[in-house]
Amino acid sequence: MSYSSVDPGTTHRFRLVIDGVSVGEFTGCTGLACTVEVEEYPEGGRNDSMLYLPKRVKFPPLVLTRPLTQEAEKLSQWVMDSVNEARQQTGQVAALAPNGEVLAKWDLQSVMPVAWHGPRFDASGLGAAIEVLEIVHHGLFKAGTT
């Protein structure tokens, strides 16, 4: 299946790569966003408009979710290793087509995990056991630059 024949509406997997190593694939990803804080500056002599000067860009945490897989132990170990080593890591989130092709990707700088929630087990429930990873980062960047 070629890229042009992939229906973007069927994207349902996201791959997280940290420092070039895949941490796993996820079925949900929220937080790919940014907000620019602006300073309003009244333009002299004009009462009908304002100038908006950018001050700071904020990035919300990324929250990745997936049903329990055999990679659960690998993910929780990566979280603990990252916290214990306290080093700057680069990351990448890639949206995958059903055939595994990368539809889009976002490179992240200074990635750090801030929460991991293992699956909640409930024998009476019908839903899948879900694990959740929450990471923060210092922004998006183009590959090859920092």
Side-chain angles (χ1 to χ4, degrees), residues 30-110:
T30 61
L32 276 170
C34 67
T35 303
V36 179
E37 287 183 20
V38 294
E39 181 176 341
E40 291 183 1
Y41 186 80
E43 189 174 350
R46 296 193 61 190
N47 295 327
D48 62 347
S49 64
M50 298 284 284
L51 294 177
Y52 298 98
L53 305 175
K55 288 173 47 177
R56 179 177 303 133
V57 180
K58 291 184 176 182
F59 299 92
L62 288 179
V63 179
L64 298 138
T65 57
R66 68 178 177 195
L68 182 63
T69 67
Q70 293 178 338
E71 294 181 319
E73 291 178 35
K74 176 182 171 184
L75 183 62
S76 60
Q77 188 61 53
W78 170 75
V79 170
M80 295 310 300
D81 291 346
S82 296
V83 171
N84 290 332
E85 293 172 11
R87 64 183 176 86
Q88 300 292 313
Q89 300 178 84
T90 59
Q92 182 184 82
V93 173
L96 305 176
N99 66 357
E101 257 185 281
V102 174
L103 293 175
K105 60 185 176 182
W106 297 266
D107 294 311
L108 312 167
Q109 54 187 78
S110 301

